[in-house]
Amino acid sequence: MQSGNLSTVSEFVLVGLSDAQEVRRLLFVLFLITYLATVAGNITILVAISTDARLHNPMYFFLGNLSLLDLLCPTITVPKMLEALVLENKVISFTGCTLQLFFLIHVVGTEIFLLAVMAYDRYVAICHPLQYMNIVSMKLCARLAVGTWIVGFFNSLLHTSLVFTLFFCGSNEVDQYYCDIPPMLALSCSSTYSRELVILTVAGVLGSSAFVVTLISYIFILLAILGMNSAESRHKAFSTCGSHLTVVCLFYGATICTYVRPSSTYSPHQDRVVSLLYGILTPLLNPIIYSLRNKEVKRALRRVISHVRIAL
């Protein structure tokens, strides 16, 4: 396998959505509005959590981390896509492409582990409510949050190094609106079999571990809820976990469709749709899902909005 600095490609062309000439301006307006709404929604959640003392607990600490990730995810990819749509500047340097992939995989990987941590937090809150504050202390929360970011970093470092030490010598057109693993593997002149095997193995082990933690946590949560005598208690427990479970289903469904498969099944058109789901729509929907289903978050958001109105 040829690798290292043998690549003759110094830049890539992100064709992605910008090849749709007839609807390019419409797409620009649509994605700009979506991106601004995503940024506004997640920043509002972060401000609400940081300024409301009643939200200074483990559940909302993790929700703040999730909002930060949902703020970063589209920021890594969407601005370049908007530039390509409106200015037709589709070129990204080799270094820029490398950094874009690294930060994207870092954010996606961190979110997978964070969702598992959030599931564990809900398990302790519902199954061991009297011991909750002793088990899930803020010190433990900080360690778990930092741990998810560190594991996400090293996971991304491995994946990025495996992709960008391949040999790129032919076409430099990336059939996506950002640099991602499947289209980059499809462009390589080298044999990618061994790299794909490592990528799928690592992603499978780490991803399945996080998924198993999430699944087991929700099995115990469901059993605990079904064992409750009070309908009000069951409704409150479902309301507490419903938002997180919805986010988990959206996120895992999209990421599995994108990454957990060999490059031989890579479909540019299918991947564009899926990547739009987890790269743009999911970060937009997450704050909406949490704010609609959580009374405490809604109250905090109302206070933030009223303060903004007074300031204006």
Side-chain angles (χ1 to χ4, degrees):
M1 179 185 295
Q2 293 171 299
S3 60
N5 296 321
L6 296 176
S7 174
T8 59
V9 173
S10 60
E11 61 185 23
F12 295 98
V13 179
L14 302 174
V15 292
L17 300 175
S18 59
D19 56 352
Q21 297 290 333
E22 63 282 0
V23 292
R24 200 172 63 242
R25 292 183 180 179
L26 177 62
L27 290 175
F28 172 80
V29 173
L30 176 63
F31 290 125
L32 176 61
I33 293 173
T34 304
Y35 175 63
L36 293 177
T38 301
V39 171
N42 285 289
I43 287 179
T44 304
I45 291 284
L46 287 169
V47 172
I49 291 173
S50 61
T51 57
D52 193 325
R54 282 171 288 192
L55 301 184
H56 293 175
N57 59 55
M59 175 181 174
Y60 297 107
F61 173 76
F62 292 131
L63 177 57
N65 276 267
L66 180 64
S67 292
L68 179 58
L69 291 169
D70 286 337
L71 183 63
L72 292 174
C73 186
T75 301
I76 294 167
T77 59
V78 173
K80 183 62 184 177
M81 179 189 70
L82 295 176
E83 181 186 359
L85 286 170
V86 70
L87 301 177
E88 298 190 45
N89 179 20
K90 308 173 187 178
V91 176
I92 185 171
S93 67
F94 191 93
T95 301
C97 190
T98 305
L99 291 174
Q100 190 180 63
L101 178 68
F102 172 79
F103 287 119
L104 179 65
I105 300 302
H106 185 191
V107 167
V108 172
T110 302
E111 187 159 342
I112 289 174
F113 305 127
L114 181 65
L115 290 174
V117 170
M118 293 176 74
Y120 171 74
D121 170 68
R122 292 300 83 207
Y123 155 74
V124 178
I126 291 175
C127 298
H128 304 283
L130 299 179
Q131 300 172 296
Y132 178 69
M133 294 309 298
N134 291 327
I135 297 174
V136 188
S137 63
M138 290 306 296
K139 187 175 182 180
L140 176 63
C141 290
R143 289 177 176 175
L144 289 173
V146 171
T148 62
W149 286 86
I150 290 175
V151 175
F153 172 84
F154 285 107
N155 173 64
S156 179
L157 188 64
L158 173 64
H159 282 71
T160 306
S161 62
L162 287 171
V163 171
F164 284 97
T165 52
L166 288 168
F167 184 42
F168 297 96
C169 61
S171 172
N172 66 340
E173 291 191 350
V174 181
D175 205 346
Q176 183 56 283
Y177 68 90
Y178 61 92
C179 296
D180 200 7
I181 292 176
M184 299 310 299
L185 291 175
L187 283 181
S188 175
C189 302
S190 309
S191 170
T192 61
Y193 177 77
S194 60
R195 309 286 178 108
E196 286 184 64
L197 189 60
V198 174
I199 289 172
L200 288 173
T201 301
V202 172
V205 170
L206 294 178
S208 60
S209 299
F211 179 75
V212 167
V213 171
T214 304
L215 181 63
I216 292 176
S217 296
Y218 271 101
I219 289 174
F220 281 109
I221 288 170
L222 180 61
L223 292 174
I225 291 174
L226 293 176
M228 293 178 179
N229 296 323
S230 169
E232 183 180 349
S233 298
R234 287 196 296 270
H235 180 268
K236 185 178 179 180
F238 272 122
S239 178
T240 302
C241 298
S243 302
H244 180 254
L245 190 58
T246 304
V247 169
V248 167
C249 292
L250 280 173
F251 184 80
Y252 270 101
T255 50
I256 288 172
C257 289
T258 302
Y259 296 112
V260 188
R261 55 185 175 77
S263 63
S264 58
T265 63
Y266 171 63
S267 170
H269 298 295
Q270 176 186 327
D271 273 34
R272 290 180 193 180
V273 175
V274 175
S275 62
L276 287 174
L277 175 62
Y278 85 83
I280 297 179
L281 291 182
T282 300
L284 171 66
L285 292 174
N286 285 356
I288 297 174
I289 292 168
Y290 275 101
S291 62
L292 287 178
R293 297 185 62 89
N294 192 300
K295 293 180 180 179
E296 291 179 313
V297 174
K298 282 193 284 190
R299 283 196 293 266
L301 290 176
R302 289 194 196 102
R303 283 191 289 271
V304 170
I305 293 171
S306 65
H307 289 323
V308 171
R309 285 178 177 174
I310 293 170
L312 293 176

